[in-house]
Each structure stands twice: as structure tokens, then as C-alpha cells.
Amino acid sequence: MPVSEDEHANLGKVLGFLREWDRGDKTARARLLVTFLSANTGKTFHELEMTLAQVASLFLARITTWMRLTYRFSTSLGLQLKAIKIFISASSHDQYIAEFLEDGGVLTLIDILNQAHIKGEDKEEALDILHIISNTGRKYKEFICESNGVNAVSEYLSTLYSEETQRKACAVLESLSHGNPKHLHQVYQELIALLSHTSPKVQKMVLNSLRSLQSMMTTANHSIVDPLLEILKTLHLEAQEEAITMILELKHFEVKPLLLNRLVSLLQIKELELSQNTQKIEVLRKAGSLPVFVQQAAAAKTIRLLVEDCEEISNELLSLGVVQHLLFAMGNKEHSESQIQASLALKSNPETVHKNVDDMQAESLLSNTVNIV
């Protein structure tokens, strides 16, 4: 097909643009990227091909190569990533993604996450691009996973960055778990490991992703139990609610006996736990937020929710001595929420129990030996 005068003129303009790029220093290239971004953000594959005279791939390769050579020094990295995202985001085609991968672009994105000195906003751009690539298809998910991408994103998520950045990292991990059976368990294990993160906001996000992933699986790993129950200690109610919801969903998996056993044991706080770090505990006591008390109340609440309309679980809990342990929790005068939740689980009157139990009654509840099976 003959080339029109307009197409010929556009090709000459684009080739001149590429020559200016090849001859330019970092300042000139940064200026060219700013021009490119302002004129091409949001364009489709076909629009980019028309704008760049069917040689768009040549420009993408140049940007990718420059980024690979300079990203450790942060030379215009933000501009480079934004320009690359225009190509990667171009709808209806994965040609640019395949070319970017072949040029080592994905490996560079993963290493950007590993570089402590690179700015958070640049890492956000890298996460955005990885997310788009992962969503494009299974072969790209597998490549990211086989390039240590899951570990890099997880390690990045475990550091203290903005909530938005952490949300994006979680989204990448969740994307990598969907339609990627070869690496499903790898992502699953990484998410479980992240439950031990100290930030409740991260725990909430991770639990949300884990629930989505767990729904696709036929088994549950026992390693999820300890970190999940540990989150019941948190004062961050949204994270605690996510943990409780996850436990309720795990009643359909083989970890149920272990979960039930551990939940019952959390109702009866050992004196050893109260005798450690005495000074710190006294401060927490006055604030009404001793972690083991919070965990005790959450365990009672979880048990109540588990037995609702489920006779099988009720019988299993009875065989574990749940009534004795709930009565113990009702005797905890130092934490009214434990008394309330235990009362609800036993179908007592929660409005009056924690107000009316005196010291003698509390002592009786704490030392009870009731055994109903």
C-alpha cells in the first residue's frame, strides 16, 4: 500500500524525534519524555502506532534500555516508568508487553522494588506496570513469579510505605494468584507470612487477599492458624473482623479441628501470661487493653459465630470443654468485653453479667470445673 504524503511527513517527524533521542543527554531525553507523556497518555495501541508512524516499538525499546542502564541512579526514573506505562496500558494488544519483557523490562521493575534508595512514588509506578502485565495473561504471571516477583512484592509490602502503595502491592499479589495454578501456593504462602506484619492496615489488606485466594483452593495450610489467631489481639477492629471472617470461612477446611482447639484454649488465660512484663501489663490493664484479654474476647465472639446454626461445630466444641472455658472468660472482671462475648456465646444476659458479677462469683467462674460433653 503506497504511503500518503501525510504518513510520509509523520514518519519523518518521528524518525527525527528518535534521532534527537539518540543524540540527546539525560536532560534532553527527559524533555522528550515530558512531551511524549503530554501528547499520548491514555492512547490505545492503534492510536500509538498511528502517532508514532508504526515504529512505536523502537521508542519503547529505547526507553526500556535507558531505564535498565540508569534506574539504580534514579535518572528520570519516574518519567521513564510513566512513559512505559502508556505503552503497557495500550488496550487491545499485548505486543508492547511481550517486547518489554523480552528487553528485560519486567526484571528491571522487580529489581526497582528491591532498591532501598528509589523513591516510593517510582516504586508505585513499577507496581502499576507489574499489575497491568500480570492481568494480561497466565504466561506473564508465570514469568513474574519465576523472576522472583512474588518475593520482591512481598518484601516491599512488609516495609513501611504509604497505605496506597501497600494496597497496590496487595493487588499485584492477588492478581498473580488468579489464573496461575502453577504458582498459586507460592503466593498463598507469601500472604500467610505477611500476616505477621506489625501494621494492622497491612494485615487487613493481606487477609482480604487471602480470603479471595482461599476460596479458589481445596485445602488450607496449617501455618495460617497461628498468625491468624495472633491478629485477634489487635485493637484495630477492622483487622480483627477480617481475621474472624477468615476463621469462619476456614471451618470448611481441614484446619478446623486445630482452629477450634486453639480458640477454646484462648479463653483461659494462663497466669504465666499475666506475670510477664508486669510493669507494661499494669499500664495496659488500666487502659483496658491487655492483648490477651482482647484476644480472649475475640475468641469468645468467634466461637459464638461458629456455632450459630451449626450443630456439628457445637458438638465438637463441647467435646473440647468450651463451656468451662467460656465460664472462665465470664469471670474476667478486668475486661468487660470478655464477659459480654462469653455471655453471648453461652446465651446468658450480656447486659447485666459484667455489671453484676461480684468478686466471689468471679472467683467461682475462674475456678469452675464444669465439663459438658
Side-chain angles (χ1 to χ4, degrees):
M1 182 181 292
V3 177
S4 68
E5 288 187 16
D6 286 346
E7 290 173 328
H8 191 273
N10 188 41
L11 177 60
K13 181 180 176 182
V14 171
L15 291 176
F17 180 87
L18 294 179
R19 281 195 297 272
E20 187 177 356
W21 174 276
D22 292 340
R23 295 169 181 170
D25 58 12
K26 63 181 182 180
T27 303
R29 289 182 176 182
R31 176 176 50 78
L32 291 172
L33 284 180
V34 170
T35 301
F36 174 77
L37 288 169
S38 64
N40 296 283
T41 297
K43 285 189 175 179
T44 66
F45 171 82
H46 296 293
E47 288 170 338
L48 284 172
E49 287 295 300
M50 288 181 63
T51 301
L52 295 173
Q54 309 301 318
V55 293
S57 294
L58 295 178
F59 188 43
L60 173 60
R62 281 165 166 77
I63 303 171
T64 305
T65 299
W66 188 36
M67 179 182 71
R68 284 175 50 215
L69 292 173
T70 62
Y71 73 95
R72 291 178 182 271
F73 312 108
S74 299
T75 301
S76 302
L77 181 57
L79 287 173
Q80 294 165 347
L81 290 166
K82 285 182 173 69
I84 288 168
K85 189 160 71 172
I86 287 176
F87 288 99
I88 302 303
S89 301
S91 60
S92 307
H93 217 287
D94 68 347
Q95 176 183 319
Y96 296 144
I97 293 177
E99 292 169 350
F100 181 67
L101 186 147
E102 289 170 6
D103 288 339
V106 170
L107 295 173
T108 304
L109 294 178
I110 291 170
D111 200 41
I112 284 171
L113 298 179
N114 292 326
Q115 301 299 314
H117 68 282
I118 291 179
K119 294 185 294 185
E121 53 263 41
D122 292 341
K123 292 185 178 184
E124 278 194 40
E125 292 290 343
L127 284 169
D128 282 343
I129 298 170
L130 282 173
H131 195 196
I132 296 166
I133 293 172
S134 175
N135 284 341
T136 303
R138 177 174 170 177
K139 65 179 180 180
Y140 299 113
K141 295 176 193 287
E142 291 182 350
F143 185 85
I144 292 170
C145 291
E146 289 161 8
S147 302
N148 202 39
V150 175
N151 182 260
V153 175
S154 297
E155 287 190 7
Y156 178 64
L157 183 56
S158 67
T159 54
L160 295 176
Y161 288 97
S162 71
E163 186 174 345
E164 177 63 14
T165 306
Q166 291 166 333
R167 185 191 64 76
K168 289 183 177 184
C170 261
V172 173
L173 290 176
E174 190 167 337
S175 172
L176 290 172
S177 72
H178 290 279
N180 186 15
K182 186 176 178 182
H183 298 282
L184 178 62
H185 285 276
Q186 180 190 3
V187 180
Y188 181 61
Q189 291 287 5
E190 287 289 349
L191 286 170
I192 290 174
L194 283 166
L195 288 180
S196 299
H197 194 283
T198 54
S199 164
K201 289 182 179 179
V202 173
Q203 290 172 337
K204 178 179 179 292
M205 288 186 279
V206 169
L207 281 167
N208 194 273
S209 296
L210 257 177
R211 286 174 54 206
S212 173
L213 194 158
Q214 188 69 64
S215 67
M216 300 183 289
M217 302 179 68
T218 57
T219 62
N221 195 297
H222 282 63
S223 64
I224 197 173
V225 173
D226 285 343
L228 197 56
L229 294 177
E230 190 68 19
I231 294 174
L232 296 183
K233 291 180 177 179
T234 183
L235 292 175
H236 191 285
L237 293 182
E238 290 184 359
Q240 188 188 86
E241 283 298 321
E242 282 287 346
I244 291 173
T245 303
M246 185 82 194
I247 292 171
L248 296 180
E249 293 177 4
L250 287 172
K251 69 182 180 183
H252 303 295
F253 294 87
E254 69 275 24
V255 296
K256 181 182 70 171
L258 177 59
L259 271 172
L260 296 183
N261 195 298
R262 292 292 309 284
L263 281 169
V264 171
S265 69
L266 293 178
L267 296 171
Q268 190 149 4
I269 299 169
K270 296 177 176 60
E271 196 59 39
L272 177 62
E273 295 178 76
L274 299 179
S275 63
Q276 295 172 341
N277 302 315
T278 307
Q279 186 174 359
K280 180 181 177 182
I281 283 175
E282 284 307 312
V283 173
L284 291 168
R285 277 185 196 274
K286 291 175 183 177
S289 58
L290 189 62
V292 289
F293 290 169
V294 174
Q295 187 183 41
Q296 181 190 52
K301 178 180 178 179
T302 307
I303 286 170
R304 172 174 60 83
L305 295 171
L306 281 167
V307 300
E308 286 180 351
D309 302 318
C310 188
E311 186 176 348
E312 179 188 347
I313 290 182
S314 296
N315 290 333
E316 290 180 68
L317 286 166
L318 285 172
S319 70
L320 294 170
V322 69
V323 173
Q324 177 189 352
H325 289 76
L326 284 170
L327 289 171
F328 179 94
M330 281 178 62
N332 185 357
K333 290 194 66 181
E334 296 190 66
H335 194 65
S336 61
E337 187 64 18
S338 288
Q339 293 180 303
I340 291 170
Q341 293 300 334
S343 300
L344 287 169
L346 288 168
K347 298 187 177 179
S348 303
N349 186 345
E351 299 299 323
T352 59
V353 167
H354 73 282
K355 295 178 182 178
N356 296 335
V357 171
D358 58 29
D359 290 343
M360 186 176 296
Q361 290 169 324
E363 184 62 34
S364 178
L365 289 168
L366 291 171
S367 60
N368 87 87
T369 57
V370 172
N371 185 23
I372 301 174
V373 294

